[in-house]
Amino acid sequence: MSIIKHNENTDYLDQEILRKLDENGRIPFSEIAKDLNISNSLVHLRVRKMQESGIIKGFSVKLDAKGIGFETITYTGIATKEARFAYSISEQLEKIPEVVECHWVSGKYALFIKIVAANNEELRKILYEQIHQIEGVGGTDSFISFGSAFEKNLPVK
């Protein structure tokens, strides 16, 4: 069951629309309208408002990294030489196509990234020939993913 946290930006109807979209992101708005016994135009209006307010960030296709040839997936912590480098490092990381996520974190690392690579040799090249060459990178620690136990969207309450 999906859980969406109620806040001042959503009401019951918005939450029901989000539940339907969470279950099937390709569901036609007309089907949502029918299921909720409301007009199709109201669903369009509510979704557009949730997009404009930033609740819905967008719609996309979720790709299977291994299914399209990325055999090595890692989570890598990046230590910086100085804290001031964190933002400029993240800007450079965004330019590397194989770096698909980047988070500022607390603790030993300043940044934590997800890398997809064709294989271990490609990962080595990404790390040593690209990431370690970025000004301010002090070091990296990589954790290879053997596979995903599960992935899920935000809870909807």
Side-chain angles (χ1 to χ4, degrees):
M1 179 175 136
S2 297
I3 301 170
I4 294 178
K5 184 174 176 166
H6 178 73
N7 64 43
E8 65 277 357
N9 297 320
T10 61
D11 63 11
Y12 175 78
L13 188 54
D14 290 336
Q15 292 171 22
E16 290 301 309
I17 292 169
L18 290 172
R19 274 190 191 89
K20 296 284 184 188
L21 290 170
D22 184 43
E23 290 169 9
N24 176 4
R26 293 181 51 124
I27 188 172
F29 287 178
S30 59
E31 189 173 325
I32 294 172
K34 181 180 175 188
D35 289 349
L36 300 178
N37 200 26
I38 58 176
S39 72
N40 190 24
S41 60
L42 183 56
V43 174
H44 281 272
L45 175 69
R46 292 296 187 108
V47 169
R48 187 174 67 243
K49 283 185 177 181
M50 287 188 281
Q51 286 175 298
E52 290 169 357
S53 71
I55 292 171
I56 295 177
K57 293 282 190 186
F59 298 92
S60 64
V61 173
K62 185 170 176 75
L63 301 174
D64 180 338
K66 292 196 179 206
I68 57 174
F70 294 105
E71 292 298 321
T72 302
I73 300 168
T74 67
Y75 295 90
T76 300
I78 299 176
T80 59
K81 291 180 181 174
E82 295 178 31
R84 67 182 173 93
F85 287 113
Y87 289 101
S88 61
I89 291 170
S90 70
E91 290 171 356
Q92 295 304 308
L93 290 169
E94 190 172 11
K95 296 175 184 175
I96 301 171
E98 295 86 357
V99 176
V100 296
E101 286 184 38
C102 179
H103 302 270
W104 290 291
V105 296
S106 62
K108 180 178 178 180
Y109 308 107
L111 299 158
F112 212 74
I113 62 175
K114 181 177 180 180
I115 303 170
V116 296
N119 52 46
N120 288 346
E121 179 60 20
E122 288 300 313
L123 173 63
R124 186 196 64 74
K125 288 179 183 178
I126 293 164
L127 287 169
Y128 297 137
E129 296 175 14
Q130 295 182 65
I131 294 173
H132 281 259
Q133 300 306 312
I134 297 171
E135 182 183 9
V137 170
T140 60
D141 280 328
S142 293
F143 307 89
I144 293 178
S145 170
F146 296 127
S148 176
F150 65 87
E151 293 180 34
K152 55 186 177 179
N153 207 345
L154 296 173
V156 180
K157 193 175 196 176

